[in-house]
Amino acid sequence: MYKKNNLKSITKDIVDYKDIDLLRKFINDQGKIISRRSTGLNAKQQKKVTKSIKRARILSLLPFLKKD
């Protein structure tokens, strides 16, 4: 039902809001944060990723929405 991406090995690195290439892997084409179920992360890792994405959005490193 859900397509799991194997992103567990990626989060062993330090998740930082300045690492835009890593954070883009956790955002879908609409700009939404991909759910924990789809990424295969545990709750602690997902919270770190989500906080980093939100910080990057506030500092305008990542867009809030993707306009097409």
Side-chain angles (χ1 to χ4, degrees), residues 20-47:
I20 302 304
D21 295 328
L22 177 70
L23 295 178
R24 283 184 197 245
K25 295 177 183 176
F26 296 99
I27 297 176
N28 67 6
D29 56 344
Q30 294 177 338
K32 295 181 180 179
I33 300 173
I34 298 175
S35 69
R36 199 180 119 198
R37 186 182 297 165
S38 300
T39 58
L41 302 175
N42 61 23
K44 196 173 197 178
Q45 293 169 333
Q46 182 71 23
K47 283 180 186 178

Side-chain angles (χ1 to χ4, degrees), residues 24 27 30-31 53 56-57 60-67:
R24 283 184 197 245
I27 297 176
Q30 294 177 338
I53 290 172
R57 283 178 175 169
S60 69
L61 300 174
L62 285 174
F64 281 96
L65 296 174
K66 197 162 200 178
K67 296 182 181 178

